[in-house]
Structures are given as C-alpha cells and as structure tokens.
Amino acid sequence: MGSRHQARERALQILFQHDIHGKGQLRLDEFWREYSVSEESRTFAERVVQGVLEHQKELDATITKYATNWTVNRMPVVDRNILRAGLYELLWIDEVPAKVTMDEAIELAKSFGDEDASKFVNAVLDKVLATDSRLAAKRADPTRPMWRRTDGD
C-alpha cells in the first residue's frame, strides 16, 4: 500500500472519529499510537485533517452546492468525510493531480462506503472539478480522464 494511500485512509479514519465524537479536540497522539505509519504518511494525513477542519464550512457549502438533493448533514458520515478530504485535496494541495485525488476518493468510497458510495463521491467531485473556477488549472491537465463512468464502477 502506498504511503499517500495509507495517509488518506488514516485521514478518513480521523475525520470519521472526529465527526462521530463531536467537535472536541483531536486526539491524534492516541490515534497514532494505535495506527503506526511512516512519518511521510502521518504528515500528509495530518495535513489533510487540519485542512478539512480549518476549511470545513467552505467545503460543506461547496459539497452541498454540487450534491443534488443532499445536505452534508444527511449524508452518511463516511461519504461526507471522503468528499471533504477529496475536495480539500483538489482545492488546496496543488502538487496532487486531480486524477490522483479522484481515483483515491473513489477507492476510499469503495472500501469504506456502501455499494453506491463510489458513484456518489465520483459524481459530486466530478461536478466540482468540471465547474468550479478555482480548479481551472487542474482541469487544464491533459492527463485528466473523463470521470463519468457508465460501467458500474
């Protein structure tokens, strides 16, 4: 398992726990005692977690704008945290290509969500990527594949 993939999994777990247990202080030291990872993975995971928490209101507003007929509070906890982390990565982590962010978010949804989670995550993030002006540079990336899948993935 790649260190960034593992970091994204750990970030999702931290965000999930934080979402479930309330808005209290993060207990990262306790988490890292239980889940040992490389320093690189830990640094990236904490960057994503801190970024999501710092920008959560903006992320949630953007997700709500693009998630047709859904509010963030009505979404399954895992789905909303995959979307928050993926959207944070798209908007604020310039060195990660959109294709990588999209692939990783979809894989997390397949691993941790229900059978429709990956399609939902894909649809929301694709809409944001395709239309949000802040992502023009990432859209211009010629390696970005079309994400509108019809094969059941």
Side-chain angles (χ1 to χ4, degrees):
M1 175 186 316
S3 65
R4 287 265 173 112
H5 179 78
Q6 186 178 51
R8 288 178 182 95
E9 284 186 353
R10 298 302 179 246
L12 176 60
Q13 290 170 313
I14 294 166
L15 291 168
F16 183 92
Q17 287 179 6
H18 183 68
D19 207 352
I20 293 291
H21 296 296
K23 306 304 179 205
Q25 184 174 347
L26 286 176
R27 300 195 187 283
L28 292 176
D29 290 337
E30 291 175 22
F31 181 86
W32 294 124
R33 277 193 294 274
E34 187 171 337
Y35 297 100
S36 178
V37 296
S38 70
E39 188 61 34
E40 180 184 353
S41 291
R42 181 177 175 160
T43 299
F44 188 78
E46 288 184 3
R47 179 180 180 191
V48 171
V49 169
Q50 294 300 332
V52 167
L53 297 179
E54 180 180 328
H55 298 282
Q56 187 170 328
K57 285 183 182 181
E58 181 180 354
L59 293 168
D60 287 357
T62 302
I63 292 166
T64 298
K65 177 180 176 182
Y66 291 97
T68 308
N69 299 322
W70 282 93
T71 63
V72 173
N73 291 335
R74 282 188 48 230
M75 292 175 189
V77 176
V78 72
D79 294 2
R80 72 174 163 238
N81 283 294
I82 292 170
L83 286 169
R84 286 171 177 160
L87 185 54
Y88 172 77
E89 195 172 315
L90 282 172
L91 291 169
W92 281 281
I93 303 182
D94 293 333
E95 71 269 16
V96 178
K99 177 187 181 333
V100 172
T101 300
M102 296 289 292
D103 282 345
E104 288 289 332
I106 292 165
E107 288 306 313
L108 287 172
K110 286 179 180 178
S111 296
F112 294 100
D114 67 19
E115 65 183 52
D116 294 325
S118 63
K119 294 173 192 169
F120 179 67
V121 166
N122 181 23
V124 174
L125 291 179
D126 187 55
K127 285 179 192 176
V128 176
L129 182 59
T131 60
D132 194 297
S133 62
R134 297 171 290 180
L135 294 169
K138 287 199 177 187
R139 274 196 305 275
D141 178 1
T143 64
R144 179 181 174 266
M146 294 305 295
W147 288 103
R148 289 173 181 79
R149 298 180 177 173
T150 58
D151 60 0
D153 275 345

